[in-house]
Amino acid sequence: MSGSFPAPSRETWQAEARRALKGAEPSSLDRIDADGLRVSALYAADDGVLPVIAPRAGDADGRAWDLRTLVEGDDPTLVNAAVLTDLEGGAASVLLSGAVLADPEPLGEALAGVALELAPVALDAGLDGPDAANALAVVAKGSPRARLRLHMDPISAFAEAGTSPRPIADHLTLAANTAARHAGAYPEATFFLASGRVVHEAGGSAAQELGFAAAAAVAYVSAGITAGLSPERALAGTVLSVSVDAEYFDALAKVRALRLIWRSISRAFGAESPAAIEARSSRRMLSARDPWPNLLRLTAAGFAGAVGGADTVVLDGFTRAVGRPDAFARRQARNTQLVLMEEAHLGRVDDPAAGSWFLDARTRDLAQAGWSAFQTVQAEGGVLAALEAGTIQTRVDEARSALEAAYRDGAKQIVGVTKYVDPDVRPAPVEVSAATQPADRGSRTFAALRPIRLSEPFEMETSA
């Protein structure tokens, strides 16, 4: 048509790139990631990139995604005040952790005034997940349409602790039986959280995180079916979870890749079901000495979750590396998402990454690498057997060592920590919380996937 712009050829792009690089080839910017995948500097239509369509299944009560806040605490009155503040301030749901989950009475006090059929309530109770699930079910009695997110995830708790009070297979069976017991009473509930975040926080690669999440999902769905759930209900009752960080292109591609992997898993169970993905911000990316730049890191993570198509996004408080976030930090976490949703309008387009040659190629590469990592775990007997044998930990250790070396050698930088360091850091307040001793889970039976924080070694040097 008259006045249209000519489509530039690949050669034109390459010529422009060479000029910008002062004669260097664009391929000089190519890199190999932690999974051995090539990330090119230039992508074009003639690269043969297959399009990827991976939108979230639907809106969250008219919103693009479920804005979920994390509320922790042991005092039911304080937790209730924080929950109501978050919901009144724009959150759609809450994720609870702490001693309030131990019994129906404190949990009921913590959720006073919350309409459970309107505001989903998710739990983070580790190996005590079934007890917390039972407590929430008691609190929700009389609300059969309550949107409970029980989030039982004994596999991640087992992996991080390196042990469990009883054989982990028993914990998995208990979680599945708990799910089957509540499935009829709460048809809107989900039961399991199949998460790869424990691998990410321990320094693992994207493919390792995806493979772990997929293997956990298969373990939970299989256990649910054995406990009496139909394949359709077991699949619908399983929420997937990955970490999103400031490397937002890779993070959003990881969310999209997880949706592709889930398609193959659900088809294998004979009941294709849309994925429900909860993206949580990375903790390993956060700095402690100067927590203020974490606000930007968390904004980038929220961008990745939103554009990647996560159904739910949970952002941590920016002071997490210092201590338990206070009301100000929780407000910032909530408002960050509100700005991304209501001012930046990130959710107005379904799967906005679709059509980008780079992001479609990256999504497919990560999906294939994640599927390969999943197949490796399955060949080792499944996620529990692989953890007990230590093979998952060995691979994560290798990825973590390479990642730490990249920061140590200067190949990667952390703003505010290794580059552009503020010599006069403003303190950031945190919530006072009682120090608690970790529960005795018995002697360790294998190497744990312990969380790391990438800034910590450099911060220790600064303080020394």
Side-chain angles (χ1 to χ4, degrees), residues 97-117:
S97 70
V100 295
L101 303 183
D103 187 78
E105 183 176 351
L107 184 55
E109 293 177 25
L111 293 174
V114 177
L116 297 178
E117 67 276 9

Tab-separated table of all heavy atoms in Angstrom, residues 97-117:
chain	number	residue	atom	x	y	z
A	97	SER	N	1.197	-17.569	55.993
A	97	SER	CA	2.154	-18.473	56.620
A	97	SER	C	2.330	-18.053	58.063
A	97	SER	O	1.975	-16.931	58.453
A	97	SER	CB	3.497	-18.456	55.886
A	97	SER	OG	4.167	-17.233	56.085
A	98	GLY	N	2.870	-18.950	58.877
A	98	GLY	CA	3.089	-18.639	60.279
A	98	GLY	C	2.261	-19.513	61.197
A	98	GLY	O	1.528	-20.404	60.765
A	99	ALA	N	2.362	-19.226	62.475
A	99	ALA	CA	1.710	-20.058	63.491
A	99	ALA	C	0.192	-20.000	63.430
A	99	ALA	O	-0.480	-20.867	64.006
A	99	ALA	CB	2.191	-19.644	64.885
A	100	VAL	N	-0.375	-19.000	62.751
A	100	VAL	CA	-1.837	-18.923	62.661
A	100	VAL	C	-2.420	-20.104	61.899
A	100	VAL	O	-3.630	-20.364	61.976
A	100	VAL	CB	-2.298	-17.611	62.002
A	100	VAL	CG1	-1.939	-16.416	62.858
A	100	VAL	CG2	-1.729	-17.466	60.595
A	101	LEU	N	-1.584	-20.835	61.167
A	101	LEU	CA	-2.077	-21.968	60.388
A	101	LEU	C	-2.187	-23.245	61.207
A	101	LEU	O	-2.684	-24.257	60.712
A	101	LEU	CB	-1.142	-22.237	59.190
A	101	LEU	CG	-0.901	-21.090	58.213
A	101	LEU	CD1	-0.008	-21.562	57.070
A	101	LEU	CD2	-2.213	-20.551	57.670
A	102	ALA	N	-1.739	-23.198	62.446
A	102	ALA	CA	-1.618	-24.432	63.217
A	102	ALA	C	-2.948	-25.004	63.681
A	102	ALA	O	-3.047	-26.200	63.956
A	102	ALA	CB	-0.712	-24.185	64.428
A	103	ASP	N	-3.997	-24.156	63.755
A	103	ASP	CA	-5.247	-24.603	64.368
A	103	ASP	C	-6.402	-23.776	63.811
A	103	ASP	O	-6.224	-22.610	63.449
A	103	ASP	CB	-5.155	-24.422	65.893
A	103	ASP	CG	-6.330	-25.017	66.620
A	103	ASP	OD1	-6.361	-26.249	66.796
A	103	ASP	OD2	-7.239	-24.244	67.022
A	104	PRO	N	-7.611	-24.339	63.734
A	104	PRO	CA	-8.745	-23.584	63.194
A	104	PRO	C	-9.068	-22.315	63.957
A	104	PRO	O	-9.502	-21.320	63.353
A	104	PRO	CB	-9.904	-24.587	63.269
A	104	PRO	CG	-9.261	-25.923	63.248
A	104	PRO	CD	-7.968	-25.758	63.985
A	105	GLU	N	-8.855	-22.300	65.269
A	105	GLU	CA	-9.245	-21.118	66.046
A	105	GLU	C	-8.415	-19.890	65.677
A	105	GLU	O	-8.987	-18.844	65.318
A	105	GLU	CB	-9.141	-21.408	67.540
A	105	GLU	CG	-9.597	-20.231	68.398
A	105	GLU	CD	-9.596	-20.543	69.877
A	105	GLU	OE1	-9.399	-21.721	70.241
A	105	GLU	OE2	-9.792	-19.605	70.683
A	106	PRO	N	-7.072	-19.948	65.734
A	106	PRO	CA	-6.323	-18.744	65.334
A	106	PRO	C	-6.481	-18.422	63.853
A	106	PRO	O	-6.500	-17.241	63.472
A	106	PRO	CB	-4.873	-19.098	65.678
A	106	PRO	CG	-4.829	-20.577	65.749
A	106	PRO	CD	-6.171	-21.004	66.236
A	107	LEU	N	-6.626	-19.446	63.019
A	107	LEU	CA	-6.801	-19.184	61.602
A	107	LEU	C	-8.142	-18.502	61.347
A	107	LEU	O	-8.233	-17.587	60.507
A	107	LEU	CB	-6.706	-20.490	60.807
A	107	LEU	CG	-6.781	-20.364	59.284
A	107	LEU	CD1	-5.724	-19.401	58.759
A	107	LEU	CD2	-6.622	-21.730	58.626
A	108	GLY	N	-9.172	-18.927	62.057
A	108	GLY	CA	-10.466	-18.271	61.919
A	108	GLY	C	-10.410	-16.817	62.334
A	108	GLY	O	-11.015	-15.951	61.693
A	109	GLU	N	-9.671	-16.536	63.418
A	109	GLU	CA	-9.514	-15.146	63.849
A	109	GLU	C	-8.751	-14.340	62.799
A	109	GLU	O	-9.083	-13.175	62.523
A	109	GLU	CB	-8.772	-15.098	65.185
A	109	GLU	CG	-9.539	-15.683	66.357
A	109	GLU	CD	-8.719	-15.660	67.637
A	109	GLU	OE1	-7.817	-14.805	67.743
A	109	GLU	OE2	-8.970	-16.502	68.520
A	110	ALA	N	-7.742	-14.960	62.206
A	110	ALA	CA	-6.934	-14.267	61.196
A	110	ALA	C	-7.738	-13.955	59.946
A	110	ALA	O	-7.427	-12.992	59.227
A	110	ALA	CB	-5.717	-15.114	60.836
A	111	LEU	N	-8.780	-14.744	59.673
A	111	LEU	CA	-9.577	-14.561	58.466
A	111	LEU	C	-10.953	-13.952	58.754
A	111	LEU	O	-11.831	-13.971	57.889
A	111	LEU	CB	-9.744	-15.898	57.736
A	111	LEU	CG	-8.455	-16.479	57.141
A	111	LEU	CD1	-8.701	-17.864	56.574
A	111	LEU	CD2	-7.877	-15.558	56.077
A	112	ALA	N	-11.133	-13.412	59.933
A	112	ALA	CA	-12.409	-12.768	60.272
A	112	ALA	C	-12.687	-11.630	59.303
A	112	ALA	O	-11.829	-10.800	59.028
A	112	ALA	CB	-12.364	-12.250	61.707
A	113	GLY	N	-13.911	-11.623	58.769
A	113	GLY	CA	-14.292	-10.573	57.835
A	113	GLY	C	-13.901	-10.823	56.393
A	113	GLY	O	-14.173	-9.993	55.527
A	114	VAL	N	-13.273	-11.972	56.109
A	114	VAL	CA	-12.864	-12.303	54.744
A	114	VAL	C	-13.921	-13.206	54.104
A	114	VAL	O	-14.275	-14.251	54.670
A	114	VAL	CB	-11.494	-13.019	54.724
A	114	VAL	CG1	-11.111	-13.417	53.300
A	114	VAL	CG2	-10.423	-12.123	55.333
A	115	ALA	N	-14.436	-12.822	52.962
A	115	ALA	CA	-15.410	-13.642	52.232
A	115	ALA	C	-14.645	-14.674	51.408
A	115	ALA	O	-14.106	-14.362	50.345
A	115	ALA	CB	-16.278	-12.765	51.338
A	116	LEU	N	-14.586	-15.897	51.902
A	116	LEU	CA	-13.735	-16.918	51.291
A	116	LEU	C	-14.218	-17.351	49.912
A	116	LEU	O	-13.454	-17.917	49.135
A	116	LEU	CB	-13.637	-18.137	52.216
A	116	LEU	CG	-12.989	-17.873	53.585
A	116	LEU	CD1	-12.989	-19.141	54.426
A	116	LEU	CD2	-11.573	-17.348	53.423
A	117	GLU	N	-15.478	-17.081	49.600
A	117	GLU	CA	-15.965	-17.429	48.266
A	117	GLU	C	-15.590	-16.352	47.249
A	117	GLU	O	-15.728	-16.567	46.038
A	117	GLU	CB	-17.474	-17.644	48.270
A	117	GLU	CG	-18.296	-16.401	48.542
A	117	GLU	CD	-18.452	-16.099	50.023
A	117	GLU	OE1	-17.780	-16.764	50.847
A	117	GLU	OE2	-19.252	-15.201	50.357
